[in-house]
Amino acid sequence: MSDRTPVIAANWKMNKTVPEAIEFCDELLPRIEDAACEVIICPPFLALPAVVEATGGGPVQVAAQNMHFEQSGAFTGEVSPAMLLDAGATAVVLGHSERRQLFGESDEALSRKVPAALEAGLVPILCVGETEDERERDETDRILRRQIDAGLSRVPLERLADVVVAYEPVWAIGTGRTATPEQAEDACGFVRSLISARDEASGAAVRIQYGGSVKPGNAAELLGREEIDGALVGGASLDAGDFAAIVAAAG
Ligand code: PGA
């Protein structure tokens, strides 16, 4: 076991109204009182303040699912770091594969978003991962290197360990096809080696999550791996009982 504190995050994507979000929190909180890991809920923007209030004072942190890198300005439809802080968020998911694939999120934008989050005092959860084609062509390492190089390119060395990285193979997201613990560990270890190459201590300290069809039934095996420091959970995070079971699997 490493001495890194695992971090388990619920990525709700475009799910849950405000009343549904509050109901989830009320169901979840009594079930995770003994959690030995960090727990983050990532609701849609509109439910951020309600989830902050419903979890208020407790150990659960609240994260947004995206953010612009500027503080304000003529960017219709966007939300700034300052607005997320004002809503009570302490973290933000950046570069999720759905944003990369469906909404044109670019490595260049992420190279600005990650340091902007850190400067604002938000923990960036930088998502990286290869598609099925890329894995079949044996390009996983090349893709991860490109995404990590870009996402962390403007992060000062002394802040590297404050980033959380989520390794999420695109072929495992929402498909029920989880990466094997070996595949997940290899990729997380490779990401760590990229960060260690910049700064040894940061590589040892940075938390690297696995994401992609994490469920109560497979969480313990994945989270038991030395290189895997938590999970970014989509589908199974919509049910408070399932999510609590995954939190419990983190030890
Ligand atoms: P999934 O989603 O758990 O439904 O596969 C994970 C994610 O997209 O973060």
Side-chain angles (χ1 to χ4, degrees), residues 39-148:
V39 179
I40 304 182
I41 299 177
C42 317
F45 288 127
L46 288 175
L48 278 172
V51 173
V52 169
E53 198 183 324
T55 58
V60 174
Q61 298 173 57
V62 183
Q65 300 174 14
N66 184 29
M67 178 196 88
H68 198 279
F69 50 84
E70 295 285 0
Q71 287 300 316
S72 62
F75 303 104
T76 300
E78 292 291 320
V79 171
S80 76
M83 293 169 189
L84 297 184
L85 283 177
D86 186 46
T90 57
V92 58
V93 176
L94 295 172
H96 189 279
S97 67
E98 285 149 19
R99 297 223 57 86
R100 291 179 191 260
Q101 294 200 310
L102 304 174
F103 303 103
E105 181 84 285
S106 67
D107 281 330
E108 167 58 21
L110 289 163
S111 77
R112 297 179 185 279
K113 290 184 178 194
V114 176
L118 287 167
E119 273 163 40
L122 296 161
V123 174
I125 302 174
L126 173 64
C127 302
V128 297
E130 81 288 0
T131 63
E132 184 158 33
D133 278 0
E134 289 161 349
R135 178 164 280 267
E136 275 169 9
R137 290 199 303 266
D138 221 7
E139 290 182 349
T140 301
D141 287 1
R142 186 179 70 78
I143 298 299
L144 293 178
R145 182 186 296 276
R146 193 201 76 214
Q147 292 173 337
I148 289 288

Side-chain angles (χ1 to χ4, degrees), residues 157-192:
L157 282 190
E158 67 275 12
R159 299 301 311 273
L160 274 180
D162 297 329
V163 177
V164 172
V165 177
Y167 166 64
E168 298 204 303
V170 177
W171 47 272
I173 295 177
T175 59
R177 284 179 58 202
T178 321
T180 65
E182 291 73 23
Q183 287 172 324
E185 174 151 58
D186 280 357
C188 290
F190 179 68
V191 168
R192 189 177 309 286

Side-chain angles (χ1 to χ4, degrees), residues 11 13 96 98 168 172-175 211-215 232-236:
N11 175 18
K13 311 189 179 187
H96 189 279
E98 285 149 19
E168 298 204 303
I173 295 177
T175 59
S213 297
V214 177
K215 310 279 177 216
L232 184 56
V233 187

